[in-house]
Amino acid sequence: MDNLIDGRAIAAELNGETRQRVAALASRGIQPHIAFVRVGEDPASKVYVGMKERTSAELGLKSTTHVLPDTTSQADLLALVERLNADRTVHGILVQAPLPRGIDAPTIFSAVDPRKDVDGFHPVNVGKLMLGDAGGFVPCTPGGVHELLIRSGTTIAGAEVVILGRGNIVGKPMAAILVQKAKHADATVTICHSRSADIAGHCRRADILIAALGVARFVKADMVKPGAVVIDVGVNRIADPTAKNGSRLVGDVDFAGVQPVAGKITPNPGGVGPMTIAMLMRNTVQAAESLTC
Ligand code: GUN
């Protein structure tokens, strides 16, 4: 049954467009440069930053990674961010979350120059997104989901969208993107969260259901309207005695159960994940273009 939204293929298409913009910058003697900051040795963060470094190189971007020990003070991390803000050769800055205890992530994200905030986490960029100002940076994961919807031919205008999860990285910005009075938006958006009454009832009304709550296989077939578009943002590690390391990653959607009911669905892995990095690359090129124009 081929109702899959192929995130790898759509990310490759987007990366092709990014490559063209990198080439155009190269003809002006400019190479987009992203600085990664990783604090501590969180294993998932190491994997994610490694993937971002690799994609940067593949697309012709320069990347520099700063690794700090998990004993780093907030003042020292702020000093590094300030140095990167002032460095005219750096166009994008990404401080990988989660940060160690004792460091206040919002303080760090707010210290990044908004013009270099390729994560879209700075309050100025959050505000621009809310206001429908296209000049800011859109956070990579919800931005990637938006591109998946657009490029899979999903009708967004007038659709009932239900988002599971109200986090600052996915749920809230996702709602802001889709509710705008704009092309590829104009949806009716509901956000459900841990205190919502009758989540299943909300889900069953959705034409587009976006799961970003961080609960393994939460969305079951009987929560999905037949023909709905289902996007699985979840990354959950569950025990699996048959796996080499005793665990594996699953999404927020019970894929095997939901796929036959859905009109279209993202696989996981291979859906939202590749889009997040593609959007980061695009944001970095956008930063390089606007800082050098
Ligand atoms: N950790 C998990 N997702 C993200 C993200 O989009 N950006 C950063 N900086 N850290 C993350």
Side-chain angles (χ1 to χ4, degrees), residues 203-229:
C203 289
R204 278 192 285 271
R205 277 200 309 277
D207 303 307
I208 299 171
L209 180 59
I210 301 170
L213 71 163
V215 178
R217 298 184 181 128
F218 179 87
V219 176
K220 306 285 192 226
D222 65 359
M223 297 164 69
V224 176
K225 178 160 90 174
V229 174

Side-chain angles (χ1 to χ4, degrees), residues 65-254:
T65 301
H66 302 261
V67 179
L68 304 178
D70 62 8
T71 51
T72 300
S73 68
Q74 180 159 308
D76 284 348
L77 181 53
L78 283 171
L80 173 59
V81 169
E82 286 306 329
R83 191 153 63 74
L84 296 170
N85 283 342
D87 184 339
R88 291 173 59 89
T89 71
V90 170
H91 306 112
I93 301 170
L94 182 141
V95 182
Q96 184 68 29
L99 291 166
R101 240 192 301 242
I103 295 183
D104 182 55
T107 301
I108 302 300
F109 295 143
S110 302
V112 173
D113 184 330
R115 296 169 304 171
K116 299 187 178 186
D117 171 37
V118 288
D119 252 334
F121 292 168
H122 190 285
V124 163
N125 287 313
V126 175
K128 284 184 175 176
L129 175 59
M130 223 21 161
L131 294 168
D133 176 343
F137 291 104
V138 176
C140 301
T141 302
V145 171
H146 193 211
E147 288 294 331
L148 284 179
L149 293 173
I150 294 167
R151 293 174 193 240
S152 63
T154 302
T155 301
I156 303 172
E160 288 275 353
V161 176
V162 172
I163 298 166
L164 303 179
R166 56 177 158 185
N168 289 331
I169 293 182
V170 186
K172 282 195 259 179
M174 188 80 252
I177 292 168
L178 295 175
V179 82
Q180 289 304 323
K181 187 177 178 67
K183 194 170 173 213
H184 301 307
D186 283 324
T188 302
V189 180
T190 302
I191 300 183
C192 292
H193 48 76
S194 52
R195 300 296 299 271
S196 295
D198 191 17
I199 292 181
H202 285 293
C203 289
R204 278 192 285 271
R205 277 200 309 277
D207 303 307
I208 299 171
L209 180 59
I210 301 170
L213 71 163
V215 178
R217 298 184 181 128
F218 179 87
V219 176
K220 306 285 192 226
D222 65 359
M223 297 164 69
V224 176
K225 178 160 90 174
V229 174
V230 179
I231 307 288
D232 186 358
V233 184
V235 182
N236 308 290
R237 189 166 286 285
I238 61 161
D240 179 359
T242 68
K244 230 190 316 186
N245 64 352
S247 71
R248 69 192 178 94
L249 297 174
V250 299
D252 289 352
V253 175
D254 173 21

Side-chain angles (χ1 to χ4, degrees), residues 27-48:
S27 70
R28 294 169 44 211
I30 297 155
Q31 184 182 28
H33 179 188
I34 180 164
F36 299 116
V37 180
R38 179 164 66 73
V39 189
E41 300 300 316
D42 177 66
S45 292
K46 281 177 153 173
V47 172
Y48 289 138

